[in-house]
Amino acid sequence: LAALLHDIGKIGVPDVVLHKTGPLNEQDWKHIRRHPRMGYDILQNIPFLSPVLDAVLHHHEKFNGGGYPDGLQGESISLPARILAVVDVYDALSSHRPYRAAYFPKEATEMLLDESGQHFDPEVLQILVRILADDRQTATTTEAAHLPEQIQGEIQNTVNIL
């Protein structure tokens, strides 16, 4: 559910910002940076969605602490939010946007790998890379072998949703 609802807060971002074809200015970024908290606020009073609230709120946190809204870093970012961060950026890179064409999967993957340990959790990123290399079938790498199958399954499910 987090993968489906993570950007619901964008409902509060002006359309002119969401569909802008050029670079965002500082005011535009203020609107964008508010969407995770807005999404959290929208969903927080729906009891059955409580398990996804943290991922919705923190999917723009960066592994090095440079993200938003709370500047969390490393494993202080929940695993679902770290998974969503990687998969969301891959989806954004591999999808057409008003301001650019979609990147090919190999290019998008290379861009993600360039941010390993900075923007993204390196372990989560390696599992995604393996899933993509295996044509979205399974994650069976030695890098991922020590992680519980449930985590590998969560990444796979998120990839399939997006």
Side-chain angles (χ1 to χ4, degrees), residues 4-46:
L4 294 173
L5 297 171
H6 72 282
D7 277 340
I8 195 166
K10 284 186 177 177
I11 197 166
V13 176
D15 284 345
V16 68
V17 174
L18 294 175
H19 301 293
K20 195 169 189 175
T21 57
L24 300 179
N25 61 39
E26 188 54 39
Q27 186 62 33
D28 297 337
W29 276 111
K30 285 181 182 178
H31 287 294
I32 293 293
R33 286 186 193 109
R34 285 195 291 250
H35 88 270
R37 179 119 9 236
M38 292 171 73
Y40 178 92
D41 291 344
I42 290 167
L43 302 174
Q44 71 177 336
N45 293 318
I46 305 171

Side-chain angles (χ1 to χ4, degrees), residues 1-11 32 34-43 49 52-60 68-69 80-81 83-92 97 158 161-162:
L1 282 173
L4 294 173
L5 297 171
H6 72 282
D7 277 340
I8 195 166
K10 284 186 177 177
I11 197 166
I32 293 293
R34 285 195 291 250
H35 88 270
R37 179 119 9 236
M38 292 171 73
Y40 178 92
D41 291 344
I42 290 167
L43 302 174
L49 294 177
V52 305
L53 290 176
D54 186 77
V56 169
L57 182 60
H58 293 125
H59 72 279
H60 283 290
Y68 60 90
I83 292 169
L84 191 52
V86 173
V87 176
D88 185 40
V89 172
Y90 179 80
D91 178 64
R97 297 291 192 229
T158 306
I161 289 170
L162 293 177

